[in-house]
Amino acid sequence: MKLKNSLDFARNLDREDPLRRYREKFHIPTDNNDMPWLYFCGNSLGLQPKSTAENIQQELKDWANLGVEGHFEAKNPWMPYHEFLSDAMAKIVGAKPTEVVVMNTLTTNLHLAMVSFFETNENRTKIIIESDAFPSDRYAVESQLKFHNLNPDDHLLEWKPREGEELLNYEDLESLLDDHKDEVSLLLIGGVNYYTGQFFDLKRITELGHKHGAKVGIDLAHGVGNIQPELHASNVDFAVWCTYKYLNSGPGSLGGLFVHEKYAKNKELKRLTGWWGHNKDTRFNMRQPFDPIEGAEGWQLSNPPILSMAAIKASLAIFNEVGMVAIRKKSKDLTGYLEELVLELGENVIRIISPKNAEERGCQLSIQVKNANKELHKKLSNRNVITDWREPDVIRVAPVPLYNSFEDVFRFVQILKEEMNGY
Ligand SMILES: *Cc1c(COP(=O)(O)O)cnc(C)c1O
């Protein structure tokens, strides 16, 4: 144990890391002495790939030189631009290319998906979410219920952890579904919970939901680019995500939507529509009745912001080159190393909330520091350690396999230990 807890040991792990050279493909923020920050907030905003600027420059140049002709004449024609992203995105989430589309933002896509997949009848009026769902998801769900004239107090059900625990149990989800037999229309779960980092068994959740006659939707904001969700095989009905967290596509960049293949040709599903979801062969004939494109593209509304898509394209090229298998492998090693070092601080001062089993978590560890308050987070920030604080006493730390190193992890735990003195 002690041996592992040394700078030499960490540096050696970096030397042996097959993905080590990818760190150089990112801009790592530095302090005034050119020392890189210890950046562990890739779960909030991923760092910028160095290739992003030139990808955006290309589109600016084509716009300057070609104006509207860029739709067809640009190096990467804007008309089908979103299609250039589908193959790489499909690989990342484990889907067929026709099942995914990059468009809008996460919460918008969640609403669009709920228009199609939250169907009510006399009995089925309820939605289940995790009790600690991300606020935007909760607001979106509550507003959808109200839109259907349903009171969230009665129709929004929560999958809760047991007394004194943070992680969720599948048995409790099943009991909840049994207790509300034939009443649940939709299960909406974060694939990786933003607070605990718990990575759910999507296949199991989907089987449970479907067995009880509910549709299943997954919010992959903290999952995409982090874990391998295998969306197609898990048989979820839909999923949504953003690209600015682990997918490193820039603040407020576009989101993604997955709609399972089984709905690809279903033109009867209710949906909100716009011209970009219309059959590409007749889109410009105008004055045609709406004819949705088969697959996820049929949920598009508008022609998309190309500059933002260019950033996504740059990032996906890196993911495509490395592949999620290699990313996930390093991620488990890196987070496992963090876990080992943090546990050495002693369970009397620290507790890791995230699952112990590496298969049940992504890269993030949520660390509870006993008796600490936000002051600790401030002290870490002052030393250029970028983490995320959740009241009352939890630090979320996300070592990202593409740009964080074992040395980063080692240095972080050293600083944490120093700053924790006194707690
Ligand atoms: C980050 C995040 C969001 C953010 O939604 P936007 O529409 O992209 O602002 C929503 N839900 C979850 C679970 C998130 O982690």
Side-chain angles (χ1 to χ4, degrees), residues 69-126:
E69 299 298 323
H71 284 297
F72 298 101
E73 304 298 329
K75 182 172 173 219
N76 312 297
W78 305 329
M79 188 63 64
Y81 202 99
H82 66 275
E83 296 171 30
F84 306 148
L85 311 176
S86 297
D87 282 7
M89 192 61 97
K91 280 188 195 136
I92 290 170
V93 297
K96 300 187 176 181
T98 52
E99 291 176 316
V100 302
V101 65
V102 172
M103 61 178 199
N104 312 315
T105 50
L106 189 160
T107 308
T108 311
N109 291 341
L110 182 55
H111 277 298
L112 295 178
M114 282 195 282
V115 165
S116 299
F117 295 104
F118 173 48
E119 291 175 303
T120 59
N121 62 30
E122 246 166 77
N123 294 324
R124 270 190 209 281
T125 52
K126 297 188 174 158

Side-chain angles (χ1 to χ4, degrees), residues 105-108 134 136-137 194 219 221-222 242 244-245:
T105 50
L106 189 160
T107 308
T108 311
F134 194 85
S136 194
D137 299 28
Y194 81 101
D219 181 331
H222 282 260
C242 53
Y244 49 79
K245 291 173 179 166

Side-chain angles (χ1 to χ4, degrees), residues 35-96:
M35 271 296 285
W37 289 2
L38 299 178
Y39 192 85
F40 293 110
C41 259
N43 56 351
S44 184
L45 183 69
L47 292 180
Q48 186 187 136
K50 290 178 180 166
S51 54
T52 301
E54 81 195 55
N55 272 258
I56 293 176
Q57 281 302 333
Q58 178 69 48
E59 305 315 325
L60 287 174
K61 203 169 78 187
D62 286 343
W63 175 26
N65 293 335
L66 297 165
V68 72
E69 299 298 323
H71 284 297
F72 298 101
E73 304 298 329
K75 182 172 173 219
N76 312 297
W78 305 329
M79 188 63 64
Y81 202 99
H82 66 275
E83 296 171 30
F84 306 148
L85 311 176
S86 297
D87 282 7
M89 192 61 97
K91 280 188 195 136
I92 290 170
V93 297
K96 300 187 176 181

